[in-house]
Amino acid sequence: MPAPQTRRQKEFEARIKEMGAELAKRFGMTRRRFFKTAGGMAAAFVAMNEVYAKSGEPFFRVEKDEHRDLELAQARADGLKGQFIMDMHTHFLREGTPIRAFVAQREAVGKAGWNPALAGKRRPSRT
């Protein structure tokens, strides 16, 4: 079961729903369709900045009114679409973990040479 939403998560959800409904109506589309546009992505960044920014310093760079101008939002998205983004995180595997898929992925990374430290490492044993 997921943990209950925090106050800030609830605030973000309310803001993005309200913003999405208002802007979708303005553009003559459903809220779902709006959120599939670059303007919808910009709206999500604006809402997150409003809720989570610290000392007025935003987490996400969004041009002024980018979420309110679909052409501006799409032009900015087109200008950024060639950048390389790597989504990285770590999974800690205890000895004897029953999560075999992660173990197999770890072994594949070692065999492929992507992480030489994993090459030839034994799979954690089940205890």
Side-chain angles (χ1 to χ4, degrees), residues 21-50:
E22 172 195 324
L23 293 169
K25 184 176 180 181
R26 178 188 298 178
F27 296 123
M29 62 180 74
T30 65
R31 189 175 72 185
R32 181 180 299 256
R33 183 160 174 242
F34 171 70
F35 281 123
K36 291 181 179 182
T37 69
M41 190 78 232
F45 289 150
V46 167
M48 283 190 273
N49 282 343
E50 288 175 356

Side-chain angles (χ1 to χ4, degrees), residues 83-89:
Q83 66 183 327
F84 177 76
I85 299 172
M86 182 178 286
D87 179 12
M88 297 180 63
H89 57 275

Side-chain angles (χ1 to χ4, degrees), residues 20-94:
E22 172 195 324
L23 293 169
K25 184 176 180 181
R26 178 188 298 178
F27 296 123
M29 62 180 74
T30 65
R31 189 175 72 185
R32 181 180 299 256
R33 183 160 174 242
F34 171 70
F35 281 123
K36 291 181 179 182
T37 69
M41 190 78 232
F45 289 150
V46 167
M48 283 190 273
N49 282 343
E50 288 175 356
V51 174
Y52 294 104
K54 294 183 180 181
S55 306
E57 212 39 55
F59 282 110
F60 300 99
R61 185 170 165 237
V62 184
E63 300 298 327
K64 182 175 177 10
D65 293 328
E66 185 176 341
H67 59 302
R68 292 188 173 101
D69 183 336
L70 295 183
E71 289 180 16
L72 173 64
Q74 189 58 54
R76 183 149 186 267
D78 289 342
L80 296 171
K81 69 182 177 185
Q83 66 183 327
F84 177 76
I85 299 172
M86 182 178 286
D87 179 12
M88 297 180 63
H89 57 275
T90 302
H91 292 276
F92 172 77
L93 300 177
R94 295 188 197 296

Side-chain angles (χ1 to χ4, degrees), residues 106-124:
R106 179 180 167 180
E107 289 174 346
V109 166
K111 287 178 185 173
W114 297 335
N115 184 343
L118 295 178
K121 271 219 169 181
R122 279 189 55 234
R123 162 187 287 201

